[in-house]
Amino acid sequence: MGPARRRGHRGGAQLRAVMAAALALPAFGLNASPGTTPPATASVSTAGVIYRCTAADGAVALQDEPCPRGQTQELREIAPFAPPPSAVATVPSASETGDLSANTDVPQPGITPGEAPPPPRSVLPPPLWRCTDLNGHSRLSDTYDPQPRCVPLSVLGVDLSRAPPSAATMCRTVEDACVELGGEAACAAWEERLADAESALRRAFSDTQDQRRRERDRAKAVVENDCRD
């Protein structure tokens, strides 16, 4: 046999040994080094036998040919490779999940066929502030508005009988106590505002009717859209 043919024969044997070793690693409890991938050839799916050769110095070699003389030889069968089954998505049946509509106590909203579902409700109505003055009179405001003002000391009940005449013009800054309303309290306040707006619209003059009507329409929209089931 010529040198070229011997090199070709040796190269083929080495290639077969590498492929067999890659297939036999799991059978011996060994893992391939990171980043290595067994060759994707038709021989991967076939069964075979490999030789585990142990030299005198303890070196181990895996090959598809019998071990050289003087080495310990062990034979291992390679099971044919079977591709993993493809994952198929399954939908649980009604018997597995149970009939939720029958087991829940929450009533399901009934929708007549052909009828559009009701529009979603807002989480909360727009907030309002209720501000109370020193005399206990309250008012509703869209924003925090304590209306700071300077009130004469005599109105606040301060005794100025022994004070100099200049004290009569002295005053003290006071503010209304404002509390933000939300949730059910805000809905009750918007219903109160709607009643006040309707009353003001009935008593409005021609030059203020448009403004009163806008106030009434806004309060009515909030009550109907955000505060009623």
Side-chain angles (χ1 to χ4, degrees):
M1 180 183 297
R5 295 187 60 185
R6 284 196 299 272
R7 286 194 298 270
H9 175 73
R10 188 181 301 109
Q14 292 175 353
L15 177 59
R16 290 194 300 271
V18 171
M19 293 173 59
L23 292 174
L25 287 179
F28 287 100
L30 303 175
N31 295 324
S33 59
T36 61
T37 304
T41 62
S43 62
V44 174
S45 60
T46 60
V49 176
I50 66 168
Y51 297 84
R52 185 176 189 269
C53 305
T54 305
D57 58 356
V60 177
L62 303 175
Q63 60 189 43
D64 61 345
E65 296 179 349
C67 302
R69 183 176 299 178
Q71 295 188 4
T72 303
Q73 176 176 286
E74 296 181 22
L75 274 68
R76 291 291 185 271
E77 261 190 35
I78 304 173
F81 172 77
S86 59
V88 179
T90 58
V91 179
S93 61
S95 60
E96 296 175 352
T97 59
D99 190 353
L100 297 180
S101 59
N103 297 332
T104 180
D105 296 332
V106 180
Q108 301 296 326
I111 299 177
T112 305
E115 179 185 358
R121 288 183 52 188
S122 301
V123 177
L124 289 175
L128 287 175
W129 278 260
R130 185 179 295 280
C131 300
T132 306
D133 61 14
L134 296 177
N135 298 321
H137 300 147
S138 65
R139 57 184 172 83
L140 295 173
S141 175
D142 292 313
T143 59
Y144 177 78
D145 182 20
Q147 294 185 355
R149 55 199 177 276
C150 195
V151 179
L153 296 181
S154 57
V155 176
L156 296 176
V158 179
D159 184 10
L160 300 178
S161 59
R162 298 183 180 181
S166 59
T169 60
M170 297 179 64
C171 64
R172 178 181 298 170
T173 301
V174 297
E175 295 182 348
D176 295 344
C178 296
V179 178
E180 183 179 4
L181 306 175
E184 297 298 330
C187 284
W190 276 106
E191 292 178 354
E192 178 183 341
R193 170 169 279 193
L194 175 59
D196 294 341
E198 290 176 341
S199 176
L201 178 60
R202 289 192 297 267
R203 296 180 285 103
F205 293 103
S206 58
D207 57 339
T208 59
Q209 281 185 350
D210 290 342
Q211 178 183 354
R212 299 303 182 190
R213 186 174 292 105
R214 287 193 296 269
E215 294 174 354
R216 189 277 312 271
D217 293 344
R218 177 172 180 260
K220 185 178 180 180
V222 171
V223 170
E224 292 182 349
N225 295 332
D226 297 338
C227 296
R228 290 182 182 173
D229 296 331

